[in-house]
Amino acid sequence: MDRERGESEDNLDYSVANVEKALHQLYYDPNIDNKNLAQKWLMQAQVSPQAWQFSWALLSPNKVPEIQYFGASALHIKISRYWTDIPSDQYETLKSQLFNQIACFSSGSKIVLTRLCVALASLALNMMPDRWPNAVGDMVKMFQTESSDVDGKARCMALLELLTVLPEEFQTSRLPQYRKGEVRNALAQESSVVFPLLQQLLQTDSPVFISQKALKCFSSWVQLDVPLLDCECLMQASFTSLHNAELFDTAVEALVNAISQPDAQRFLAILLNLADSAAIREMGEHRYVNTLLKLIPQVLQLQEQLRQAVQNGDMETSHGICRIAVALGENHSRALLEQVEHWQTFLALVNMIMFCTGIPGHYPVNETTSSLTLTFWYTLQDDIMSFEAEKQVVYLQVYRPVYFQLVDVLLHKAQFPSDEEYSSWSSDEKEQFRIYRVDISDTLMYVYEMLGAELLSNLYDKLGRLLTDSEQASSWQHIEACLYGFQSIAETNDVNYSDVIPGLIGLIPRINISNVQLADTVMFTIGALAEWLADHPVMINSVLPLVLHALGNAELSISSVSTLKKICRECKYDLPPYAANIVAVSQEVLMKQIHKTSQCMWLMQALGFLLSALQVEEILRNLHSLISPYIQQLEKLADEPVVVVLQQVFQLIQKVLSKWLNDAQVVESVCAIFEKSVKTLLDDFAPMIPQLSEMLGQMYSTIPQASALELTRQLVHIFANDPTHFVPVKALFLLVTSVTLSIFQQGPRDHPDIVDSFMQLLAQALKRKPDLFLAENCDVKALFQCGVLSLKFPEAPTVKAACAFFTELLPRCREVQPIGLVVHENGKLLLQATLEAIGGQAPRSLMDHFADILFALNKHCFTYLSIWLKEVMQQQNFPSSRLTQVQKETFSQQILRDRVNKRRIKDIVKEFTLLCRGLHGTEYAAEY
């Protein structure tokens, strides 16, 4: 609708009849364009001055709920967004009208009732504390007053709905920062009105639906600055509710929120710091600790219910009870550790969490609970290790045995199921199990810091018994899990001085490798010990034959090739006696084409490390057996910076390629020669650009390889800005882009190297010649979507390259129209993917790169970013279930405030990712 029409015409446009007609069109018109037009018009109607008139009319009892809902939503929008437009003398009338409507709808449509409650909540927040000082008390009185028109239970439910949405509306309100603090304090004080009411409802024989609503209301209020000690009675009532199956989930949520609420602890800290005397501080701390000590027995009393749930396969109940135990242990472990006289009570809670860690069944198929506990073990260890040395000694006497037990439990949980069972799992279940094992690996790596060399001895003894016990045959799963423990520790900790590694190397050849998973772990364990082998070369011969044998198995492709690469890199000066054998086996597997392109590249890199330590004659002899004579000749010529030589052999290369175009190694060698030549000759290479561009396009179209993309990137970098060469370079860029887009359509997960190089190419093109993205057949939207997909790859180099692509793309929004259009239409997807990564889906080592994307969005798309951030942060459990709405809002505000300080954005992101991962404030996070 044209917003510049006169007032009378506006009145006509946004009449009740027209709004109802547009709503009918939105809900029932099959034409999508008509629906979109109706939606756009209705959004304008909601913010028009006429909304004050039609909203009340739409709430008429004779209207259908969809129409009534729109009226209630329009009222909320007017109050929450346009508060300053409302004359102050209208506040009381508006309040009275909303109370009346809520009373009318208390027995009507629930969705309309909720919207009206949200509108009244917004009104209250805008009027508190000066204009409506006792808002919550007034609400309670209003609904407790007898009314012949409204049933008592309906009034109670309406009041509970209003009280529940009030803190929720506060979390998302647009109040200025200074007002937020005032209103938060006022609301926190009003909990003294709300909590006794909820307590009364939960302690009487209320119907289940009222008890459930009371628990939800409690859960909502604890997310304000309500100290833990003020929640005691309601928490007691929540524990009682856990025995009612219909109330169980809601009670769990309430208890976890109350126990975990970081603001409650922060409030206590502020209170104690502000206290005038040591006596007052001591009293406050005493009350806090007393509350905690009362909670532990209540949690421990749930153990029988937990055991029954586990026995009956009731995953929901065991999951819920575990969440409560972990919340208490994780959020208050230091305070509870300090109560030395109650050490047995806390140890009982720790053992309950240990039971949850070792809950029977395979994650994620038969149980989903054990993963919840892993962060607790980090936190407890951090707290123990943060005490001064004398106290540490005492705590370690109690908890070292607990952590040795934890290792046993984790190794048991890391075991694969039987082959038959594992084959029945879906690919998603297998992937979740793989990630779960990575989490276990991280935990074991961390536990090693506490248990040290004794842990390695413990694992070695276990493995020795498993491999030498002649009376009882060990399953491959036990052996694999034990080795996995070694591998987890050796990959990230320096075990070179451990006296058990020689014994482990001696045990490995005794393993009967009859299973792919076991073989993979054997390979990765050998790879993790490559540095140790470099210091003890006499042991290389014990394990190298196993690695060379595994090279011939396609199922062990990644583990065997990466392990050989590590050995060749770390031990190259000790490998000459084995070089002929390594080259022969490698040549055989390359000829048989057992491995994919990326693994072939790793294998060639391994051989590069190996050959670099040999005499020149041996290098040439081995190269001769690996690469055909013409490639040797080209390698020698490539060292001479004379373009004429390259022109002379170009026809030879083309002839070779006509026969070997499908051979990945040949293509890679050709690309390596020309890449070296381009870097050496720079502008002198110019005469060859048309020929090379055509040949490169032909190679990439036949077998797409990262090496061809790398060479294309060099050409774009050096020649794209030269008008003389722009045409062939542009044609090559568009061709490789088109071919790579088809790879993305078919599924790019098997080609992380190609995706990595492609993202680097796009970033280079944006940097050197953004005009390439103006080409008619350049699908900028598809490239953007490929970039978003690449951000989610597990390989760190690929993710870095994708981040670099976006940090080059976003500044071009204004100068390159197709880019600006795509960013405005799809930027929210980029933000979502970036926040998912920060929320825990990407390694913490990559956070600076994702921070660069946020910085670029903030700098070049600020208006859109502020809208997108608000929208995506409304999603429940996004980007992490550990976050409160307040934490999400604080992060959003911090990001939007810093548009010039990139270092500050990186710090904000690092802080936020720790919150998302439950690592904030831990020593583990600080040392990372």
Side-chain angles (χ1 to χ4, degrees):
M1 296 289 171
D2 188 351
R3 296 303 303 271
E4 295 189 346
R5 296 177 184 175
E7 181 67 28
S8 60
E9 206 167 340
D10 253 351
N11 277 323
L12 180 67
D13 282 343
Y14 300 128
S15 66
V16 174
N18 280 349
V19 171
E20 288 194 43
K21 184 179 172 185
L23 283 166
H24 189 275
Q25 200 172 0
L26 178 66
Y27 285 114
Y28 304 112
D29 195 318
N31 186 310
I32 192 70
D33 291 334
N34 290 344
K35 279 180 182 289
N36 289 339
L37 277 173
Q39 185 176 28
K40 190 175 177 184
W41 187 86
L42 286 165
M43 286 170 72
Q44 291 173 332
Q46 278 187 314
V47 300
S48 72
Q50 287 68 50
W52 287 117
Q53 283 77 50
F54 68 67
S55 294
W56 302 109
L58 295 178
L59 289 167
S60 173
N62 60 352
K63 306 289 184 191
V64 295
E66 290 88 347
I67 289 173
Q68 294 170 332
Y69 179 82
F70 183 79
S73 292
L75 285 172
H76 173 242
I77 286 170
K78 294 298 286 183
I79 294 167
S80 62
R81 296 189 197 172
Y82 302 97
W83 176 253
T84 51
D85 295 347
I86 305 171
S88 56
D89 60 0
Q90 297 292 312
Y91 293 169
E92 290 302 320
T93 308
L94 186 54
K95 186 201 300 183
S96 177
Q97 285 175 302
L98 284 169
F99 269 124
N100 290 336
Q101 288 293 344
I102 289 170
C104 293
F105 276 92
S106 58
S107 301
S109 166
K110 295 300 174 209
I111 59 166
V112 181
L113 173 65
T114 299
R115 271 345 268 167
L116 287 167
C117 288
V118 171
L120 181 56
S122 185
L123 178 86
L125 295 172
N126 278 293
M127 291 177 69
M128 290 172 72
D130 300 332
R131 293 182 176 274
W132 195 359
N134 302 308
V136 177
D138 290 350
M139 291 173 185
V140 173
K141 281 178 198 165
M142 183 70 72
F143 284 93
Q144 284 181 334
T145 307
E146 288 295 332
S147 168
S148 55
D149 302 334
V150 184
D151 166 68
K153 287 178 183 172
R155 272 188 290 114
C156 182
M157 285 296 283
L159 173 60
L160 287 173
E161 182 65 25
L162 179 55
L163 294 177
T164 302
V165 301
L166 187 58
E168 293 169 359
E169 178 65 10
F170 171 76
Q171 309 284 15
T172 58
S173 66
R174 301 183 174 200
L175 294 169
Q177 203 57 42
Y178 78 95
R179 286 271 297 126
K180 274 217 158 185
E182 287 179 359
V183 176
R184 178 186 281 276
N185 291 337
L187 279 174
Q189 289 169 14
E190 297 269 30
S191 65
S192 61
V193 177
V194 178
F195 284 12
L197 170 69
L198 299 180
Q199 201 174 322
Q200 186 185 348
L201 290 171
L202 287 168
Q203 285 177 347
T204 56
D205 294 329
S206 301
V208 168
F209 63 90
I210 285 184
S211 297
Q212 197 163 54
K213 197 68 193 169
L215 287 167
K216 281 184 180 172
C217 187
F218 172 47
S219 191
S220 178
W221 274 81
V222 294
Q223 297 191 49
L224 298 167
D225 277 333
V226 181
L228 190 64
L229 37 90
D230 289 354
C231 303
E232 255 187 55
C233 295
L234 278 171
M235 290 173 79
Q236 174 63 61
S238 302
F239 275 110
T240 305
S241 301
L242 290 171
H243 300 290
N244 183 328
E246 292 178 89
L247 298 177
F248 182 83
D249 289 342
T250 320
V252 167
E253 209 59 46
L255 284 166
V256 170
N257 282 345
I259 294 168
S260 308
Q261 179 55 24
D263 287 338
Q265 294 156 57
R266 189 163 69 237
F267 178 82
L268 172 79
I270 292 167
L271 184 74
L272 297 180
N273 288 335
L274 293 178
D276 292 333
S277 70
I280 294 174
R281 284 198 295 275
E282 192 176 331
M283 184 179 72
E285 194 160 354
H286 180 69
R287 286 183 63 201
Y288 163 64
V289 169
N290 269 357
T291 303
L292 287 180
L293 292 173
K294 287 177 192 171
L295 282 176
I296 295 182
Q298 291 178 301
V299 175
L300 293 176
Q301 281 172 11
L302 300 173
Q303 286 182 101
E304 185 51 40
Q305 192 179 354
L306 174 63
R307 286 195 184 90
Q308 286 292 323
V310 170
Q311 199 173 325
N312 299 331
D314 179 357
M315 285 200 277
E316 287 75 16
T317 300
S318 56
H319 197 82
I321 293 174
C322 175
R323 283 183 66 201
I324 295 167
V326 167
L328 182 57
E330 201 172 294
N331 289 281
H332 305 279
S333 65
R334 187 176 180 90
L336 291 167
L337 279 167
E338 285 176 332
Q339 307 314 303
V340 181
E341 66 274 22
H342 298 282
W343 69 272
Q344 288 172 306
T345 311
F346 184 48
L347 183 59
L349 177 68
V350 171
N351 285 329
M352 182 178 176
I353 295 171
M354 182 75 78
F355 174 82
C356 295
T357 306
I359 211 159
H362 287 287
Y363 183 94
V365 178
N366 317 109
E367 65 92 5
T368 55
T369 299
S370 58
S371 64
L372 298 174
T373 66
L374 297 180
T375 310
F376 164 75
W377 298 110
Y378 285 129
T379 307
L380 178 62
Q381 181 174 330
D382 261 331
D383 287 334
I384 291 170
M385 303 306 280
S386 67
F387 285 110
E388 55 272 21
E390 297 80 16
K391 278 190 177 180
Q392 249 187 64
V393 173
V394 178
Y395 289 121
L396 288 173
Q397 281 180 338
V398 176
Y399 287 101
R400 272 176 67 87
V402 172
Y403 273 86
F404 274 113
Q405 184 191 348
L406 174 66
V407 170
D408 290 343
V409 169
L410 291 177
L411 292 180
H412 180 73
K413 293 299 294 181
Q415 285 179 24
F416 279 88
S418 67
D419 293 339
E420 185 183 359
E421 186 184 340
Y422 190 65
S423 64
S424 70
W425 287 12
S426 68
S427 57
D428 184 52
E429 287 167 339
K430 288 177 180 175
E431 176 61 11
Q432 284 187 58
F433 182 60
R434 184 192 69 78
I435 293 168
Y436 174 66
R437 277 173 48 103
V438 170
D439 290 341
I440 286 177
S441 175
D442 287 346
T443 310
L444 289 170
M445 170 200 79
Y446 196 61
V447 169
Y448 176 73
E449 291 181 22
M450 178 192 271
L451 302 182
E454 201 179 334
L455 173 55
L456 290 178
S457 300
N458 183 290
L459 289 173
Y460 175 64
D461 291 344
K462 277 188 177 62
L463 187 62
R465 284 195 299 274
L466 288 170
L467 292 174
T468 57
D469 189 346
S470 54
E471 293 180 17
Q472 190 175 1
S474 302
S475 70
W476 70 264
Q477 286 95 336
H478 282 87
I479 296 166
E480 190 278 334
C482 200
L483 264 185
Y484 185 68
F486 263 116
Q487 177 208 324
S488 302
I489 295 162
E491 269 182 335
T492 46
N493 291 283
D494 181 8
V495 296
N496 283 10
Y497 301 103
S498 169
D499 55 2
V500 304
I501 303 300
L504 171 63
I505 296 285
L507 284 175
I508 285 175
R510 300 181 62 163
I511 297 172
N512 178 21
I513 302 177
S514 56
N515 177 279
V516 171
Q517 282 87 14
L518 175 57
D520 257 336
T521 303
V522 168
M523 286 300 109
F524 284 127
T525 305
I526 295 170
L529 296 171
E531 282 186 41
W532 185 91
L533 288 169
D535 292 336
H536 306 81
V538 71
M539 302 298 284
I540 291 173
N541 197 39
S542 299
V543 291
L544 187 59
L546 291 173
V547 179
L548 295 178
H549 178 71
L551 280 179
N553 186 339
E555 289 183 292
L556 304 177
S557 184
I558 291 174
S559 61
S560 62
V561 174
S562 68
T563 296
L564 181 64
K565 182 179 167 184
K566 284 180 180 176
I567 290 173
C568 289
R569 184 180 63 213
E570 301 297 337
C571 311
K572 61 184 179 183
Y573 297 112
D574 301 298
L575 292 180
Y578 313 103
N581 195 17
I582 294 172
V583 171
V585 173
S586 300
Q587 186 178 15
E588 186 183 350
V589 298
L590 288 169
M591 293 291 287
K592 290 180 178 176
Q593 297 186 333
I594 288 171
H595 305 294
K596 291 180 180 175
T597 306
S598 52
Q599 275 75 61
C600 289
M601 287 173 63
W602 293 355
L603 189 51
M604 296 303 284
Q605 287 170 358
L607 294 171
F609 289 127
L610 171 69
L611 298 181
S612 69
L614 300 180
Q615 296 297 317
V616 174
E617 295 79 9
E618 289 180 85
I619 293 174
L620 291 175
R621 188 167 61 251
N622 282 299
L623 276 176
H624 185 79
S625 67
L626 281 168
I627 312 170
S628 54
Y630 61 86
I631 294 295
Q632 289 180 42
Q633 181 188 355
L634 291 174
E635 283 284 359
K636 290 172 189 172
L637 287 169
D639 287 330
E640 296 187 32
V642 184
V643 73
V644 178
V645 177
L646 283 173
Q647 286 175 317
Q648 287 173 350
V649 298
F650 196 85
Q651 288 182 337
L652 169 63
I653 293 172
Q654 285 183 311
K655 188 177 178 183
V656 168
L657 277 174
S658 66
K659 293 181 180 178
W660 294 85
L661 197 55
N662 288 307
D663 190 307
Q665 276 75 44
V666 172
V667 169
E668 184 156 343
S669 298
V670 169
C671 288
I673 290 165
F674 281 110
E675 187 173 3
K676 188 172 182 180
S677 302
V678 170
K679 285 178 179 176
T680 305
L681 296 171
L682 298 175
D683 290 342
D684 291 338
F685 189 87
M688 294 200 60
I689 287 174
Q691 294 167 284
L692 180 58
S693 297
E694 188 179 343
M695 186 179 79
L696 200 47
Q698 188 187 1
M699 287 194 300
Y700 194 70
S701 301
T702 307
I703 294 191
Q705 268 188 260
S707 53
L709 288 172
E710 289 298 315
L711 182 49
T712 304
R713 182 163 69 90
Q714 287 298 329
L715 293 178
V716 168
H717 174 63
I718 298 169
F719 299 108
N721 259 332
D722 187 336
T724 316
H725 307 300
F726 181 67
V727 173
V729 172
K730 175 185 172 184
L732 174 61
F733 173 77
L734 293 173
L735 175 63
V736 298
T737 297
S738 171
V739 173
T740 312
L741 286 177
S742 67
I743 292 174
F744 269 91
Q745 286 168 356
Q746 293 157 19
R749 277 301 298 111
D750 291 335
H751 309 284
D753 52 333
I754 288 179
V755 175
D756 179 355
S757 298
F758 184 55
M759 289 296 126
Q760 290 187 52
L761 168 61
L762 295 179
Q764 187 67 261
L766 284 161
K767 192 181 290 185
R768 298 291 292 172
K769 193 68 175 172
D771 289 0
L772 287 166
F773 289 77
L774 288 168
E776 192 177 332
N777 47 350
C778 181
D779 190 342
V780 180
K781 183 177 180 180
L783 296 177
F784 188 94
Q785 289 167 340
C786 291
V788 172
L789 190 62
S790 306
L791 290 175
K792 301 178 183 182
F793 270 49
E795 292 82 6
T798 308
V799 177
K800 286 180 188 176
C803 290
F805 162 58
F806 282 115
T807 51
E808 290 294 341
L809 179 107
L810 293 167
R812 306 288 184 278
C813 282
R814 287 188 178 85
E815 65 185 86
V816 183
Q817 192 203 3
I819 291 176
L821 194 63
V822 167
V823 170
H824 294 160
E825 288 177 357
N826 300 275
K828 186 176 167 184
L829 290 175
L830 171 60
L831 176 65
Q832 183 119 356
T834 302
L835 292 174
E836 282 170 358
I838 294 167
Q841 291 191 12
R844 284 166 53 205
S845 57
L846 295 175
M847 288 306 106
D848 278 359
H849 301 279
F850 285 104
D852 288 341
I853 295 179
L854 285 180
F855 183 77
L857 280 167
N858 208 7
K859 194 170 183 181
H860 303 286
C861 314
F862 178 75
T863 308
Y864 287 96
L865 178 63
S866 55
I867 296 167
W868 296 332
L869 262 176
K870 189 167 180 65
E871 288 174 356
V872 299
M873 287 302 200
Q874 294 293 340
Q875 300 171 72
Q876 196 171 5
N877 296 330
F878 178 87
S880 163
S881 58
R882 300 177 188 278
L883 298 173
T884 65
Q885 194 61 38
V886 174
Q887 289 168 329
K888 294 201 278 188
E889 280 185 24
T890 303
F891 171 72
S892 301
Q893 288 162 5
Q894 287 175 325
I895 291 295
L896 293 171
R897 263 201 305 270
D898 270 295
R899 298 181 65 187
V900 291
N901 190 338
K902 188 184 283 192
R903 181 69 262 155
R904 173 76 183 129
I905 292 287
K906 288 180 177 179
D907 289 342
I908 292 166
V909 167
K910 282 178 182 172
E911 197 79 4
F912 188 63
T913 198
L914 292 176
L915 285 171
C916 292
R917 296 163 200 256
L919 294 173
H920 191 266
T922 63
E923 195 173 317
Y924 174 64
E927 290 178 357
Y928 183 79

